[in-house]
Amino acid sequence: MRNPISFRRIIMPSLQIRNLPDDLYHALSFRAERAHRSLAQQAIIELREAIGTAASGRRRQILERIKLNLETQGVQTPFIPPEQLLREDRER
């Protein structure tokens, strides 16, 4: 009897960089070694940070900005009360 679980090979995209400037290579290599990571792992981390695909990081920045605005400006009430806006919208 065959095992019902099939193992599929997941193919991940790859990236090869040619003519990488020495200073970039050495900086990346230094950071990878300091963080006990491979060069490829460090490159992925730094690319994610540079691109900003770390959604939680972006979310955190937005929330911090909102918090700062609330602390400095307080809760601002709209010029027109919401009840009036609803009433006008229903009457259209």
Side-chain angles (χ1 to χ4, degrees):
M1 186 155 126
R2 289 185 148 197
N3 188 348
I5 300 173
S6 84
F7 293 98
R8 294 184 182 168
R9 186 177 204 169
I10 298 173
I11 300 173
M12 299 281 294
S14 64
L15 172 68
Q16 180 181 15
I17 301 173
R18 294 191 174 130
N19 302 321
L20 182 66
D22 286 340
D23 59 331
L24 289 178
Y25 176 81
H26 291 299
L28 188 63
S29 178
F30 174 77
R31 290 187 195 132
E33 187 176 328
R34 189 176 53 185
H36 305 288
R37 296 184 184 115
S38 71
L39 197 57
Q41 290 170 329
Q42 188 67 30
I44 290 170
I45 287 170
E46 294 199 20
L47 283 170
R48 279 192 175 144
E49 288 174 359
I51 294 172
T53 57
S56 64
R58 176 85 174 120
R59 227 176 273 132
R60 192 175 309 118
Q61 289 175 347
I62 292 170
L63 290 173
E64 286 174 6
R65 199 171 342 129
I66 291 171
K67 182 180 177 184
L68 180 65
N69 286 343
L70 286 173
E71 289 172 354
T72 57
Q73 300 172 6
V75 177
Q76 298 179 353
T77 56
F79 181 73
I80 302 172
E83 299 85 14
Q84 183 180 345
L85 290 172
L86 285 171
R87 217 173 284 117
E88 289 173 3
D89 188 50
R90 288 179 184 154
E91 291 173 357
R92 283 196 289 164

